[in-house]
Amino acid sequence: MLRVGLTGGIGSGKSTIARLLEERGAVVVDADKLAREVLEPGTEGLKEVVKAFGEDVLHDDGTLNRGALAAKAFASEEARQTLNGITHPRIGALTGRRMAEAPEDAIVVHDIPLLVERDLAAAYHLVIVVYADAGTRLHRLVSSRGMDRADAENRIAAQATDEQRRAVADVWLDNSGEVPDVTGLWDRLVGFEKNVRTQSYASGSPIVVPYDERWPAQARRVARRISLAAGGRHVEHIGSTAVPGLAAKDVLDFQLAVEDMETADALRDTLAQAGFPYVGPYVDTPRGEGDWSKRLHAGADPGRRVNLHVRVEGAPNWRWAVDFRDWLRHDAQARDEYANLKLELSQRFAADSGAFAYGEAKEPWMEAAVKRVEAYKGGQVS
Ligand code: ADP
């Protein structure tokens, strides 16, 4: 199953996009709808609300008077927390149940307005943010939904900012004008779901491309996801894409720090379920003494190539990955040499899909880099 988070400001067009994905075959779980369900007549939730806020939050027919409840619940922070304390766990449980009911190969799209406000992005395989500028949203809410203008303005102001949403968006759909075509997105979701289910990873031979300014933000999102899946353990963006200005293959490399290799093996399935299936046990090319073994995982998302190196914290290969990256960040000349070398080799081996030959040819320069990295580290210490 693939868990997709879909969010955006009120009036941006979330529900519109959710419907398009549903038409393609997604199972949509609508957070607003579940929020209403947990307070329907006869529910424990509604009983609790009446107990906390009084009978006058009900209409005569026993259904919830939302306006009356809102007036009481938004009167103070304490009242708001009381209401959330009743509703949030119930909505959470119901969401879990709806997702569990979905078929094994489902692409579940969770339409959740407060994804950013509740800091939930890392729990999804992928987050889609639907965007429309505030003016357009206001116009839509007032004209097509008949919302009071001041009310619409207040709601927009109370939500997360566009910047905060951009930070969690793996996919940014601009719905300011025409409704965007979701064909490409849907194909990506289908491929992603299949890879997660079959524990396959995205493959192919990426070419070396100029440094992409979007890499750091993409890496932050992926790193948070890996860390959450790995029980909060430390994850670092390493490799060429972690060096600003450096040309690189469009594959983000991460290092997950574990206590020992047994822990790495124990995390295998959890990481796979989170979208990073297992590739195998490897030994990194040693750059010194000690144990250079690791476990390798790779990203299942066809739209975002990822290599995940699970290494023992403090082990020589863990250290090397950090030091080599930091040296390249620090030393412009080394960065240029490395970029030129990679470009030349990627051209030379373009026809030959073997990453192996490419790696081999890089070795003399890498060997020489060991001393230079040591010298850089020595300089850092003194
Ligand atoms: P949300 O779920 O994000 O609050 P909706 O999908 O309900 O937003 O869209 C808000 C309103 O704007 C709806 O009436 C919808 O039909 C309309 N709408 C959505 N997308 C567009 C678009 N690209 N152009 C014009 N109107 C749109």
Side-chain angles (χ1 to χ4, degrees):
M1 178 197 293
L2 195 74
R3 290 184 309 276
V4 179
L6 174 69
T7 196
I10 182 167
S12 60
K14 272 182 314 301
S15 314
T16 306
I17 298 296
R19 258 195 311 279
L20 290 179
L21 295 172
E22 195 166 34
E23 280 166 18
R24 304 257 173 170
V27 173
V28 174
V29 175
D30 182 334
D32 283 344
K33 214 159 112 195
L34 298 196
R36 287 192 295 273
E37 267 184 60
V38 300
L39 297 182
E40 264 166 17
T43 58
E44 278 299 312
L46 188 57
K47 259 183 231 150
E48 290 288 320
V49 163
V50 170
K51 203 152 77 183
F53 295 96
E55 292 281 341
D56 50 349
V57 300
L58 295 179
H59 288 297
D60 290 341
D61 65 359
T63 60
L64 181 66
N65 180 340
R66 289 181 183 276
L69 177 61
K72 290 191 173 197
F74 292 105
S76 73
E77 181 56 27
E78 200 192 335
R80 207 177 60 85
Q81 282 188 13
T82 301
L83 179 61
N84 288 345
I86 297 169
T87 57
H88 285 181
R90 290 180 165 83
I91 297 167
L94 192 54
T95 307
R97 223 177 314 142
R98 287 290 150 81
M99 290 200 177
E101 283 163 12
E104 196 199 347
D105 62 352
I107 293 167
V108 176
V109 173
H110 191 197
D111 177 348
I112 172 164
L114 299 183
L115 182 147
V116 172
E117 291 82 347
R118 296 182 57 194
D119 195 21
L120 295 172
Y124 299 93
H125 289 107
L126 189 94
V127 169
I128 303 169
V129 173
V130 183
Y131 169 80
D133 58 85
T136 304
R137 283 152 58 200
L138 190 59
H139 175 75
R140 284 182 193 160
L141 292 174
V142 173
S143 66
S144 31
R145 279 216 203 140
M147 203 182 264
D148 172 69
R149 191 180 177 86
D151 186 23
E153 276 174 347
N154 283 338
R155 287 195 193 208
I156 288 173
Q159 291 191 332
T161 63
D162 292 337
E163 215 119 295
Q164 290 169 314
R165 289 203 187 91
R166 205 177 269 280
V168 305
D170 299 296
V171 175
W172 181 261
L173 289 182
D174 191 340
N175 185 38
S176 300
E178 293 272 293
V179 178
D181 178 27
V182 297
T183 306
L185 170 60
W186 180 250
D187 289 346
R188 176 177 177 180
L189 298 181
V190 168
F192 197 170
E193 184 284 319
K194 179 155 185 263
N195 281 347
V196 171
R197 182 163 34 89
T198 60
Q199 309 216 349
S200 315
Y201 44 91
S203 55
S205 316
I207 52 159
V208 176
V209 296
Y211 179 77
D212 188 329
E213 300 285 345
R214 294 170 302 180
W215 284 337
Q218 293 174 357
R220 274 194 293 277
R221 291 192 285 273
V222 177
R224 287 193 61 202
R225 213 162 256 149
I226 297 168
S227 179
L228 181 68
R233 285 183 177 77
H234 185 61
V235 175
E236 250 185 282
H237 181 202
I238 53 160
S240 293
T241 58
V243 180
L246 184 59
K249 292 179 182 176
D250 190 4
V251 181
L252 301 180
D253 280 89
F254 297 89
Q255 168 157 283
L256 168 63
V258 289
E259 303 85 285
D260 44 45
M261 276 300 137
E262 289 70 46
T263 307
D265 291 331
L267 288 170
R268 187 181 299 177
D269 288 344
T270 327
L271 289 172
Q273 286 312 312
F276 307 95
Y278 184 59
V279 180
Y282 284 84
V283 180
D284 288 310
T285 307
R287 310 281 171 207
E289 302 291 302
D291 185 359
W292 290 69
S293 53
K294 68 175 173 188
R295 300 292 182 264
L296 183 65
H297 289 246
D301 179 0
R304 176 19 75 215
R305 295 287 299 280
V306 165
N307 284 332
L308 171 57
H309 311 262
V310 186
R311 295 184 175 122
V312 174
E313 184 156 24
N317 53 349
W318 180 89
R319 220 17 310 146
W320 168 258
V322 174
D323 291 341
F324 182 60
R325 175 200 66 191
D326 291 350
W327 170 60
L328 288 173
R329 281 179 176 174
H330 169 86
D331 188 328
Q333 195 201 320
R335 204 157 57 228
D336 286 346
E337 284 173 27
Y338 192 43
N340 289 334
L341 176 71
K342 290 201 298 178
L343 283 169
E344 186 206 315
L345 294 182
S346 77
Q347 275 155 17
R348 195 188 315 162
F349 295 109
D352 161 16
S353 66
F356 183 73
Y358 170 90
E360 281 287 287
K362 241 171 45 176
E363 265 312 296
W365 190 86
M366 291 299 289
E367 289 265 348
V370 175
K371 285 221 162 54
R372 299 170 74 187
V373 170
E374 264 166 29
Y376 157 72
K377 274 179 72 185
Q380 290 297 97
V381 174
S382 63

